[in-house]
Amino acid sequence: MPWCRYRVGDVVPRESCAGAGVLQLRDFLLVYNRMTELCFRRCVCNLNYRLLTGREESCLDSCASKLVHSNHRLMRSYVALMPGILQRRAADSASQDPALPTAPPDPPVAPRTGT
């Protein structure tokens, strides 16, 4: 049976993967809405005109760029650190519940003779 991931560590059958796309879209929209709200409150100060002033536009560009850049840095750190965190969690759960079966050790490999 094929498998997919909702989030890091959650493995579910492929039939449930339709919900994974919805969760990813929801997470993206939450980040986008927070960024939009933050930059709007920070940069737009005059609602009397239909168009943005040059100052407001440059502020919004700078604000959005900073937030996107910081989000990328955060995600890079998350991707780099998450495997170690998952390994520690697995080791902790294995040490706390000895009844759980552990993976058998790899069979010994015979040394290769050069040809």
Side-chain angles (χ1 to χ4, degrees), residues 39-41 43-53 56 60:
C39 291
F40 182 83
R41 287 178 184 259
C43 298
V44 178
C45 53
N46 188 350
L47 299 175
N48 293 330
Y49 302 102
R50 187 175 186 168
L51 299 176
L52 296 171
T53 65
E56 290 170 335
L60 287 169

Side-chain angles (χ1 to χ4, degrees), residues 20-93:
V22 172
L23 285 175
Q24 288 175 348
L25 178 62
R26 187 194 72 140
D27 290 344
F28 167 77
L29 290 174
L30 285 172
V31 170
Y32 177 80
N33 287 338
R34 286 184 193 133
M35 180 185 76
T36 303
E37 182 69 23
L38 178 71
C39 291
F40 182 83
R41 287 178 184 259
R42 188 177 289 174
C43 298
V44 178
C45 53
N46 188 350
L47 299 175
N48 293 330
Y49 302 102
R50 187 175 186 168
L51 299 176
L52 296 171
T53 65
R55 185 179 201 176
E56 290 170 335
E57 194 167 342
S58 67
C59 178
L60 287 169
D61 285 342
S62 174
C63 178
S65 142
K66 285 178 185 177
L67 290 175
V68 167
H69 179 70
S70 65
N71 189 16
H72 286 186
R73 288 181 63 193
L74 179 65
M75 292 311 294
R76 277 194 304 268
S77 297
Y78 178 79
V79 167
L81 294 174
M82 202 59 201
I85 292 170
L86 290 176
Q87 287 177 348
R88 278 195 302 266
R89 282 186 189 167
D92 289 346
S93 66

